[in-house]
Amino acid sequence: FMFRIKKETRNTILWITIPLIASLVIFQSGLFLIHAVVPSASMQPTMKVGSHFVGNHMAFWFRKPKVDEIIFFKKDLFQNGRKSLYVKRVVATEGNIVVISGGTELDPHVKVYEDKAAYEKAHHNKDERVLTVPKGSYFVEGDNRSNSYDSRFWKDPFVRADEVEGNVLFQF
């Protein structure tokens, strides 16, 4: 026994089904988009623990990440041969000078200078850690500064461009 479907109805079903299946395949493959869960409190209050986000793998195909943009990246922070996915905010880009000083052990103060000339104009003290962000790299921090393991503490404090996977489009 067969159902007869009107041609218009069949075309409508195809126009809905094909893009839906294509979208699911693209999303599941991670080729253009990624779905992930925020594992820690490092990005609070912007991104809550356990919230989901969708990221865009194509975001930096034709441009570089900007200061204040939330990116996701894979990095082997613990030198164990395994890269994990992290989400942080870009605080400084190539050529910027980052000065880490004062504050507390868990939340040292970070000041970013546009370039060497801007840095040299400012007053500094002896206990500062001064870093120049290398070409093709980024200095990142979590929004929850006092509860974030980020560039301020890493042995290699920079995220290289080839480690950046994309930017965060939205969360839910």
Side-chain angles (χ1 to χ4, degrees):
F1 137 77
M2 296 223 359
F3 288 104
R4 289 201 170 217
I5 299 174
K6 291 182 184 175
K7 187 175 183 178
E8 297 83 27
T9 305
R10 186 175 59 236
N11 286 343
T12 302
I13 291 170
L14 288 174
W15 276 104
I16 293 170
T17 306
I18 291 172
L20 182 63
I21 290 171
S23 297
L24 287 172
V25 167
I26 288 170
F27 189 71
Q28 288 299 320
S29 72
L31 183 61
F32 300 114
L33 299 174
I34 183 174
H35 165 254
V37 178
V38 178
S40 73
S42 71
M43 284 301 291
Q44 286 188 164
T46 308
M47 300 176 84
K48 305 263 188 266
V49 177
S51 65
H52 297 253
F53 73 88
V54 173
N56 179 5
H57 275 296
M58 300 179 300
F60 306 120
W61 286 7
F62 303 107
R63 69 174 183 86
K64 296 177 180 180
K66 299 175 189 149
V67 169
D68 212 35
E69 191 165 14
I70 298 174
I71 63 171
F72 60 97
F73 55 94
K74 285 188 176 175
K75 190 167 179 71
D76 180 8
L77 291 179
F78 303 103
Q79 284 81 39
N80 61 7
R82 291 195 336 250
K83 289 185 175 187
S84 296
L85 188 67
Y86 299 93
V87 179
K88 303 286 181 200
R89 187 177 299 277
V90 175
V91 175
T93 61
E94 61 184 59
N96 290 162
I97 295 176
V98 178
V99 177
I100 303 169
S101 67
T104 66
E105 188 176 329
L106 292 177
D107 189 13
H109 294 146
V110 172
K111 175 80 173 145
V112 178
Y113 296 91
E114 197 70 29
D115 54 29
K116 191 172 183 174
Y119 168 74
E120 288 174 350
K121 287 180 187 175
H123 173 71
H124 302 286
N125 57 42
K126 290 183 273 183
D127 67 338
E128 295 176 333
R129 180 175 167 210
V130 180
L131 306 167
T132 300
V133 181
K135 185 175 175 78
S137 295
Y138 308 94
F139 188 90
V140 298
E141 290 182 336
D143 287 357
N144 187 359
R145 303 284 190 267
S146 61
N147 191 15
S148 178
Y149 184 62
D150 52 40
S151 288
R152 297 170 296 169
F153 306 106
W154 301 339
K155 185 176 180 178
D156 172 12
F158 305 110
V159 175
R160 293 188 324 273
D162 64 346
E163 295 171 320
V164 176
E165 297 281 321
N167 68 348
V168 174
L169 290 175
F170 61 89
Q171 64 173 323
F172 55 97

